[in-house]
Amino acid sequence: MEYLDFELPIKDLQEQYTKACKIGEDSEVDVSETCKQIEKKLKETKKEIYKNLTAWQRVQLSRHPNRPYTLDYIKALCGDTFLELHGDRNVADDKAMVGGLGKVDGQSFMIVGQQKGYNTKTRQYRNFGMASPEGYRKALRLMKSAEKFNLPVLTFIDTPGAYPGLEAEERGQGEAIARNILEMTRLKVPIIVVVIGEGASGGALGIGVGDKVMMLENSWYSVISPENCSSILWRSWDHKEQAAEALKLTAKDAKRLKVIDSIIKEPLGGAHSSKEEMFKTLSKVVSESYNELKNLSPEELVETRMEKYLNMGVFKG
């Protein structure tokens, strides 16, 4: 288990607990009372730390190397029913954007999401979750197929941004994202969007328009990352914590500003601390969200979705 800098008190207590229990196992000394006391202190410390997280600490949690990624959620929610589909039928198959058909709680979905890697090799293979134009065009092709066969769409957002390379710009990165936003606003099937980690800039918006937009408790959603915001304003990354607060990028901020519809609670310690619990929670939320949308007509879906986005940012004096 890897620990972030603000989680070090938890790490110390966890090590104390493990050592105390091992002493009890290896000798005849009764350490049960000591173990109980350490366990109690551990629970209290966890509650205290995770109850008062800053915006920057939530950004750190969203990037935790043990945090589940898109394919982890797909495997947990769909099991063996997931069939991955490849290619944009134009240029290539972008490995940073995955998608395909799968069943969640017996209901078929077209599932699309950004996928990061677990180690150096897979991170390069997945381009660190930064999709190219062909990734967004693949996503749109799959969503259009879902509309054709009257299947709901489920998207998972987890990206530090769309790939900013020269070749991506040459192939129309901005146009691909803009096209997806336009087409998603008028897609005639239910769209459920979940921000599971990082939701940065247009890279997130390219698959982020939906009837139900939700964020995991320790994810973030913003026009720019705190580091890049800091480098623009202060010419340095040193002010990233200040930038994170100013950007209002947490799930609570997004809910208050009506950018998202709801927040999905994570297990104490983050999604990575109890993956099974997180998977169960998300499966339930996805099913409930679909049940709320399934009886709406295509016209009602599009009208309500359009209305929701047109009302964002409206100021009444």
Side-chain angles (χ1 to χ4, degrees):
M1 184 71 171
E2 294 188 43
Y3 292 89
L4 301 169
D5 52 2
F6 64 89
E7 294 177 310
L8 292 179
I10 296 169
K11 182 186 179 184
D12 293 341
L13 285 166
Q14 188 67 56
E15 286 173 355
Q16 286 177 33
Y17 179 73
T18 306
K19 281 178 186 174
C21 292
K22 192 162 187 346
I23 289 168
E25 287 172 11
D26 296 346
S27 67
E28 294 178 5
V29 181
D30 184 11
V31 292
S32 57
E33 193 57 40
T34 307
C35 288
K36 279 180 186 175
Q37 286 176 358
I38 298 173
E39 191 176 20
K40 186 184 176 186
K41 182 81 168 96
L42 184 60
K43 284 180 182 176
E44 287 171 359
T45 306
K46 276 187 177 181
K47 282 180 183 175
E48 191 60 33
I49 287 174
Y50 296 116
K51 187 176 69 178
N52 302 301
L53 290 175
T54 65
W56 173 244
Q57 286 168 342
R58 291 196 189 277
V59 171
Q60 287 178 288
L61 272 177
S62 75
R63 298 168 176 168
H64 198 289
N66 299 125
R67 195 173 173 87
Y69 295 138
T70 294
L71 284 174
D72 297 318
Y73 285 105
I74 289 174
K75 187 178 179 183
L77 269 62
C78 304
D80 297 331
T81 66
F82 182 66
L83 172 68
E84 189 173 352
L85 302 171
H86 299 271
D88 69 339
R89 301 293 185 267
N90 189 12
V91 175
D93 179 38
D94 187 354
K95 306 300 183 196
M97 186 77 77
V98 297
L101 293 161
K103 286 188 177 182
V104 180
D105 203 16
Q107 169 61 44
S108 295
F109 281 87
M110 183 65 80
I111 306 171
V112 177
Q114 289 107 351
Q115 173 68 20
K116 293 178 177 177
Y118 301 94
N119 51 38
T120 304
K121 190 176 180 181
T122 55
R123 279 170 196 147
Q124 288 178 322
Y125 179 72
R126 298 289 180 185
N127 199 29
F128 299 87
M130 297 186 293
S132 296
E134 46 270 29
Y136 291 99
R137 290 178 180 131
K138 170 166 75 170
L140 181 58
R141 179 177 77 80
L142 298 184
M143 289 188 277
K144 280 293 191 183
S145 294
E147 184 181 51
K148 182 179 178 181
F149 296 108
N150 196 29
L151 293 173
V153 173
L154 172 61
T155 74
F156 293 117
I157 295 175
D158 188 14
T159 180
Y163 181 55
L166 180 63
E167 59 271 39
E169 297 299 336
E170 285 174 345
R171 293 198 292 273
Q173 183 71 286
E175 187 277 336
I177 291 169
R179 171 68 58 188
N180 276 26
I181 294 170
L182 171 66
E183 295 293 348
M184 286 182 85
T185 56
R186 57 193 189 189
L187 209 68
K188 293 183 174 66
V189 291
I191 308 173
I192 299 166
V193 178
V194 186
V195 183
I196 58 172
E198 299 186 270
S201 195
L205 287 178
I207 57 167
V209 178
D211 303 294
K212 289 276 183 187
V213 181
M214 298 169 282
M215 286 175 72
L216 297 195
E217 195 178 358
N218 295 312
S219 60
W220 63 274
Y221 200 19
S222 176
V223 69
I224 193 169
S225 72
E227 294 95 330
N228 289 332
C229 175
S230 176
S231 67
I232 290 169
L233 295 180
W234 290 282
R235 301 284 186 270
S236 159
W237 279 21
D238 296 341
H239 298 270
K240 55 186 179 290
E241 294 179 37
Q242 192 179 338
E245 292 293 341
L247 284 167
K248 302 287 181 247
L249 45 65
T250 66
K252 277 186 180 178
D253 291 321
K255 178 76 168 66
R256 181 172 53 80
L257 296 167
K258 297 182 179 175
V259 173
I260 63 166
D261 300 299
S262 61
I263 299 168
I264 302 170
K265 193 166 177 58
E266 293 185 23
L268 187 65
H272 60 281
S273 65
S274 179
K275 292 183 183 181
E276 290 305 316
E277 188 184 334
M278 189 70 253
F279 296 150
K280 283 178 186 174
T281 302
L282 190 60
S283 178
K284 185 183 174 189
V285 169
V286 168
S287 297
E288 287 173 355
S289 299
Y290 174 68
N291 288 335
E292 287 177 35
L293 299 168
K294 68 180 181 182
N295 294 323
L296 296 175
S297 68
E299 292 74 22
E300 286 174 317
L301 280 169
V302 174
E303 188 180 342
T304 309
R305 195 184 304 143
M306 287 275 202
E307 196 66 32
K308 181 173 86 167
Y309 282 92
L310 287 170
N311 285 332
M312 282 184 189
V314 171
F315 178 75
K316 292 175 184 175

